[in-house]
Amino acid sequence: MVGIIKKLDETVVNRIAAGEVVQRPCNALKELIENSLDAKATSISVVVKSGGIKMLQIQDNGTGIKKEDLDIVCERFTTSKLEKFDDLSSISTYGFRGEALASISHVAHVTITTKTEDSKCAFKVQYSDGKPLHPPKPCAGNRGTQILVEDLFYNMGVRKNALRNASEEYAKIAEVVGRYAIHNSGKSFSLKKYGEGNSDVHTLINATTRENIRNIFGATVARELIDLEVEDNRLKFKAKGLISNANYSVKKCTFLLFINNRLVESSPMRKAIESVYAAYLPKNMHPFLYLSLDILPQNVDVNVHPTKHEVRFLYEADIFEKIQQAIDAKLLGANTSRSFLTQTLLPSAPVPIEENSKSISATGDSTKEKKVYDHHLVRTDCKEQKLDAFFHSSQTESPNASESKMKENSEELQSRVEIQLTSVLELRDTIEKDCHSGLYEIIQNMTFVGCVDQKFALFQHNTKLYLGNTHEISKELFYQIMLRDFGNFGALRLSNPAPIAELAMIALDSEDSGWTVADGPKESLAKYVVDLLKSKAPMLDEYFSVEIDEDGNLLTLPLLLDNYDPPLINLPGLVLRVASDVEWTSEKECFESFCREMASFYAVPEKNFNQGNGSNVEDASGKPSLNWTTEHVIYAAVKKNLKPPNRFSSDTSILQIANLPDLYKVFERC
């Protein structure tokens, strides 16, 4: 039988349309971020629960929505950007079709709280299927708009079940926020999970594009970026951005592309650019790219895809070629400073036999050898380096690096300030007197074996195997470095000034702070922390290279160990402990307690480590792996500088777990 064509119910039509625009939580967030940017917001905060499926909240400080517009703001095709079809050819805003809020309201529960500049109060409205459920309710609120999206796809079971797990959805949300934060320097973005105090993405309003890239993608890529600018009056386009040089490469290309300020994707452009890099990078390795193209609006069709993540424009091939030529010229110019890893001995070359590998008898007769039994043989010579020691997370040094480094060290020694403070000298003397001679001998001649996990590592001395508590050992190491280099620290400058008041509030909000109502308002305590540290700023800067500006921002931290960055996630706790636990009234106790707190901050964390292969030099992000850092930075410094205190012999910070002769006895009994 011939089917009868019927007009679909309006609810069905709207949900089908909503499914095209909002395919997953990150699509909804992208639309909401663009609305905030259209509203001239300079601060955008996002809070997510269960990967955005349970809750997705975005708040901005933009112009807000007028009360009289709240009735239709979630209806389809209601917009302030577009009046006639011809306007599409000159549209320059992010949103223009009036589908975003409508689509979201058809597949989720939406609540809008908004306040305009001239309004005396904010208004809140809840929506379902594009319609308000009640008249606008007056409420308290700041200027701008807060949109709360709850139970996404609650009425589309198949779509909801097809979504990946919450952590993957959250990663896609973080990717969207991070990319818009990088492109919109001069605006503040933050992203965090619901119920957590720390933000996973946080950019400051005064940060540059390069600083935002360092904040989000890490310092490894940020220091290898070169500026790119292209302009062609004939093709009527301009392009600018930051691209990685030939020294940087990763296994997967990172391509941030904005066309007329809209985040889009373009596989043809990515392939065209990667074809240029193929001549400079190792096989199957890829670059980092951030490009912003300004193309004449009349030449761009922004209405190609429902989610607007693809666009079409005129002269694509010619524009691609111009960009290719500009990138090739930049890479060719930067190629003179390219660094390569080298090896000093070919794999096939014969290895010389150690003359001292056999024990010679006491008579001095080299032809007469003393027998060494198997259970007294040492696995390796503790004075030999392993091949891993020749690999670095950064590029190898130039041929004159050794000479220049010796010169730098010489200049450093000449400029080193001799500290004559009695309190500091007494603290140093205490370390010397408390040193355990037996453990000192073991540490001085140990061979690192490997990491058990983030907290523990194995090392060998003669025929004995030891388990070291890396967290406790590194804490003592940094305490001794604090006293050894007192008044002579280099400075680690933070990429963005860290407001002490905000750090203190984050610390007070955590469960570990121990704050109770009896302690007084958190804001007052945070102000006390700021005032105290500002009053100690000259002393902290002079002795510890901790710089604090007049606005109460933390600018620098002491450089305690080369190639080691402290876990900045613990910075809020450090600020609070320095203000509350340091004994500021007595000089010696002040220096000791401050050095202890700083050492605890710098120590290798006990938890939150995704353990990888200990032989890997770098992790997936291109940073040195923690296993590599533990072996080649932390334990190398321990072997060179640490004077183990007596307590290490009894508190299991260093624990003997095996002895080769004893193991042979066990095997003999078996």
Side-chain angles (χ1 to χ4, degrees):
M1 294 179 63
V2 179
I4 301 174
I5 298 176
K6 297 179 181 179
K7 185 177 180 180
L8 288 175
D9 182 75
E10 184 180 357
T11 302
V12 178
V13 173
N14 289 331
R15 289 184 185 173
I16 293 173
E20 294 177 350
V21 176
V22 183
Q23 299 172 2
R24 59 191 336 136
C26 63
N27 298 129
L29 179 64
K30 177 179 180 292
E31 299 286 351
L32 297 176
I33 289 177
E34 291 177 346
N35 284 347
S36 295
L37 293 171
D38 280 339
K40 299 180 175 57
T42 58
S43 177
I44 298 174
S45 302
V46 180
V47 181
V48 175
K49 184 178 182 181
S50 297
I53 301 170
K54 289 289 186 183
M55 187 195 80
L56 186 65
Q57 177 184 290
I58 180 169
Q59 181 159 359
D60 64 56
N61 63 346
T63 56
I65 304 171
K66 293 182 179 179
K67 177 185 176 183
E68 50 268 29
D69 293 337
L70 288 172
D71 288 341
I72 63 169
V73 72
C74 285
E75 290 186 10
R76 290 191 72 195
F77 308 123
T78 56
T79 179
S80 62
K81 322 288 176 53
L82 198 66
E83 291 185 2
K84 55 185 183 296
F85 183 79
D86 292 341
D87 292 342
L88 280 173
S89 62
S90 59
I91 199 76
S92 60
T93 56
Y94 291 102
F96 51 87
R97 296 182 305 223
E99 288 181 287
L101 284 175
S103 298
I104 296 170
S105 71
H106 283 293
V107 294
H109 303 301
V110 175
T111 303
I112 298 179
T113 305
T114 185
K115 181 181 182 296
T116 58
E117 183 69 34
D118 55 357
S119 178
K120 294 182 179 179
C121 66
F123 293 93
K124 178 187 290 187
V125 183
Q126 294 177 307
Y127 296 87
S128 178
D129 292 326
K131 303 293 183 183
L133 299 179
H134 55 78
K137 296 179 181 179
C139 64
N142 298 322
R143 194 195 78 166
T145 303
Q146 180 193 86
I147 299 178
L148 177 64
V149 180
E150 298 176 290
D151 298 325
L152 190 63
F153 302 128
Y154 74 96
N155 52 4
M156 299 176 68
V158 175
R159 174 68 60 84
K160 187 173 183 179
N161 293 334
L163 292 177
R164 299 182 179 181
N165 61 54
S167 60
E168 291 189 42
E169 297 300 329
Y170 183 77
K172 291 185 175 294
I173 286 174
E175 181 179 315
V176 170
V177 176
R179 294 185 177 213
Y180 272 99
I182 288 170
H183 181 68
N184 292 276
S185 59
K187 295 178 172 62
S188 171
F189 284 78
S190 71
L191 167 68
K192 67 178 181 179
K193 294 179 181 177
Y194 177 79
E196 294 190 4
N198 296 325
S199 298
D200 294 306
V201 175
H202 186 98
T203 61
L204 299 180
I205 196 168
N206 58 349
T208 64
T209 300
R210 191 184 294 268
E211 288 171 344
N212 286 340
I213 291 176
R214 180 185 293 108
N215 185 356
I216 294 167
F217 287 95
T220 302
V221 61
R223 62 171 166 259
E224 303 293 350
L225 295 178
I226 51 180
D227 293 294
L228 178 73
E229 289 192 18
V230 191
E231 184 172 0
D232 191 294
N233 294 327
R234 182 180 65 85
L235 299 175
K236 293 180 169 44
F237 91 98
K238 290 191 298 183
K240 64 178 181 178
L242 292 165
I243 61 173
S244 58
N245 60 27
N247 284 331
Y248 177 84
S249 62
V250 286
K251 293 183 179 179
K252 184 178 180 182
C253 178
T254 302
F255 188 24
L256 284 66
L257 176 62
F258 287 80
I259 296 181
N260 291 352
N261 295 318
R262 182 174 284 108
L263 178 63
V264 296
E265 296 177 5
S266 175
S267 295
M269 184 181 293
R270 178 178 57 79
K271 291 177 181 178
I273 294 175
E274 286 204 271
S275 67
V276 177
Y277 273 92
Y280 297 89
L281 301 183
K283 187 178 180 181
N284 298 324
M285 300 303 282
H286 305 276
F288 174 94
L289 306 163
Y290 160 65
L291 285 179
S292 176
L293 272 67
D294 289 329
I295 303 176
L296 197 67
Q298 291 86 335
N299 292 348
V300 182
D301 185 358
V302 296
N303 200 32
V304 175
H305 195 275
T307 64
K308 302 195 290 288
H309 83 278
E310 291 182 7
V311 297
R312 294 285 184 270
F313 51 90
L314 297 178
Y315 317 121
E316 280 192 0
D318 294 334
I319 291 175
F320 291 173
E321 185 178 356
K322 285 288 183 182
I323 293 174
Q324 282 180 306
Q325 292 172 356
I327 291 177
D328 192 33
K330 283 287 185 179
L331 293 176
L332 189 63
N335 203 30
T336 56
S337 63
R338 189 173 180 186
S339 301
F340 297 91
L341 292 175
T342 61
Q343 58 186 32
T344 57
L345 188 65
L346 294 176
S348 59
V351 180
I353 300 175
E354 289 289 340
E355 294 180 357
N356 297 325
S357 60
K358 298 180 180 179
S359 299
I360 308 301
S361 66
T363 62
D365 185 358
S366 60
T367 61
K368 191 174 182 179
E369 300 174 356
K370 181 180 179 181
K371 181 175 177 58
V372 180
Y373 294 95
D374 290 345
H375 62 277
H376 287 301
L377 289 174
V378 180
R379 181 179 63 86
T380 63
D381 184 348
C382 63
K383 296 181 177 62
E384 291 181 353
Q385 294 191 64
K386 294 187 290 185
L387 288 178
D388 288 349
F390 293 94
F391 290 88
H392 301 276
S393 60
S394 58
Q395 287 69 34
T396 54
E397 299 172 343
S398 62
N400 296 325
S402 298
E403 181 180 347
S404 61
K405 184 173 289 186
M406 290 174 62
K407 184 177 180 181
E408 289 174 4
N409 292 339
S410 175
E411 292 174 352
E412 182 181 349
L413 289 173
Q414 291 175 3
S415 61
R416 188 175 177 87
V417 178
E418 284 298 326
I419 299 299
Q420 300 298 330
L421 293 173
T422 303
S423 55
V424 177
L425 297 178
E426 289 178 353
L427 291 171
R428 291 175 178 174
D429 187 54
T430 301
I431 292 174
E432 295 288 344
K433 291 179 178 178
D434 191 42
C435 178
H436 190 287
S437 58
L439 290 178
Y440 183 71
E441 169 67 20
I442 291 171
I443 287 176
Q444 287 284 298
N445 298 284
M446 70 176 177
T447 299
F448 188 88
V449 176
C451 293
V452 178
D453 54 22
Q454 181 167 356
K455 184 177 179 181
F456 295 104
L458 294 170
F459 57 87
Q460 175 184 334
H461 177 252
N462 291 335
T463 60
K464 296 179 180 178
L465 186 66
Y466 295 88
L467 181 70
N469 186 323
T470 305
H471 174 72
E472 292 298 329
I473 292 174
S474 63
K475 186 191 297 186
E476 181 64 27
L477 170 69
F478 286 121
Y479 170 70
Q480 294 184 13
I481 291 176
M482 287 290 294
L483 290 174
R484 183 197 67 188
D485 294 339
F486 190 96
N488 291 280
F489 297 107
L492 281 173
R493 185 164 296 275
L494 302 180
S495 57
N496 298 310
I500 294 175
E502 293 185 19
L503 294 175
M505 286 298 295
I506 292 172
L508 289 168
D509 287 338
S510 69
E511 296 179 357
D512 298 334
S513 68
W515 176 86
T516 63
V517 178
D519 296 325
K522 293 180 181 178
E523 292 77 8
S524 299
L525 293 176
K527 184 177 184 304
Y528 166 77
V529 172
V530 175
D531 293 340
L532 175 63
L533 296 186
K534 283 176 63 178
S535 68
K536 308 296 182 184
M539 182 269 287
L540 294 176
D541 188 15
E542 179 182 0
Y543 291 150
F544 303 107
S545 293
V546 176
E547 185 179 350
I548 299 171
D549 64 17
E550 295 180 354
D551 297 326
N553 295 316
L554 179 63
L555 305 181
T556 63
L557 291 169
L559 175 61
L560 301 189
L561 206 56
D562 287 340
N563 300 318
Y564 180 79
D565 296 327
L568 293 180
I569 193 173
N570 297 327
L571 191 56
L574 171 68
V575 168
L576 188 61
R577 291 196 307 274
V578 165
S580 59
D581 295 348
V582 171
E583 181 55 61
W584 295 102
T585 58
S586 172
E587 181 179 295
K588 182 178 178 180
E589 286 74 10
C590 172
F591 292 154
E592 181 181 15
S593 54
F594 183 86
C595 291
R596 289 289 184 192
E597 294 300 339
M598 194 63 71
S600 296
F601 167 67
Y602 274 80
V604 175
E606 295 182 278
K607 301 177 181 178
N608 302 325
F609 172 54
N610 184 15
Q611 186 178 354
N613 185 344
S615 64
N616 287 345
V617 174
E618 296 181 348
D619 60 19
S621 66
K623 297 180 180 179
S625 69
L626 190 54
N627 281 4
W628 188 93
T629 301
T630 298
E631 176 179 356
H632 297 284
V633 179
I634 298 297
Y635 275 89
V638 166
K639 186 174 181 178
K640 182 179 179 181
N641 300 311
L642 182 67
K643 292 180 171 56
N646 283 305
R647 60 182 174 85
F648 275 12
S649 63
S650 57
D651 65 359
T652 69
S653 293
I654 298 177
L655 186 66
Q656 179 186 324
I657 59 173
N659 184 16
L660 190 59
D662 294 340
L663 291 177
Y664 267 83
K665 292 177 182 178
V666 174
F667 296 150
E668 288 171 357
R669 288 198 296 269
C670 294

